[in-house]
Amino acid sequence: MKKSTVILAMVVAALWAQGAGADSFRCGTHLVSDGDSIDKVAALCGPPTSIQRREVLQRPISWYSGRPYYTSYEPVPIPIEYWIYNLGPNKLMRRLKFEDGLLVEVETLSYGYYSASDD
């Protein structure tokens, strides 16, 4: 009986640890994370190295008591932006994904590079 309790506690701790690691990105002394606006990220981190823009069609969602509810069957265009920060050849680059103006994902890429403007 005690063995199963210990195993259950370990599984719960592992799941909690995974959920606790929200996407975040440190720029200098500032930390941006999921849910931050484009304006806040730009103010804290400065302009990105590159920006890619596109739109995707999604059904509109409203959140009520922590659960998503679709408000329509008709998809609406949602603006998506990918910002890439090149932090130089000694640091890893970051790609930030914004949906409808809010940060939803931070991805770590390969090492950065020297750009022509760094010369």
Side-chain angles (χ1 to χ4, degrees), residues 64-81:
Y64 181 73
S65 297
R67 298 182 67 184
Y69 293 94
Y70 292 107
T71 58
S72 170
Y73 287 104
E74 283 295 316
V76 295
I78 303 292
I80 306 288
E81 287 191 16

Side-chain angles (χ1 to χ4, degrees), residues 40-112:
K40 180 179 178 180
V41 173
L44 294 177
C45 301
T49 306
S50 69
I51 299 176
Q52 299 170 349
R53 293 181 175 94
R54 64 182 210 163
E55 285 187 345
V56 295
L57 295 176
Q58 291 181 350
R59 291 172 52 192
I61 297 175
S62 289
W63 290 84
Y64 181 73
S65 297
R67 298 182 67 184
Y69 293 94
Y70 292 107
T71 58
S72 170
Y73 287 104
E74 283 295 316
V76 295
I78 303 292
I80 306 288
E81 287 191 16
Y82 292 96
W83 288 17
I84 295 180
Y85 281 93
N86 174 16
L87 305 172
N90 297 324
K91 295 187 179 180
L92 297 171
M93 295 189 297
R94 301 291 196 275
R95 178 173 33 217
L96 283 60
K97 180 182 178 183
F98 296 91
E99 286 184 6
D100 207 16
L102 298 177
L103 181 62
V104 296
E105 182 180 3
V106 177
E107 183 180 0
T108 302
L109 304 175
S110 62
Y111 280 95

Side-chain angles (χ1 to χ4, degrees), residues 2-17:
K2 285 188 175 189
K3 191 175 190 179
S4 63
T5 304
V6 171
I7 292 173
L8 178 62
M10 290 172 51
V11 169
V12 169
L15 291 174
W16 179 78

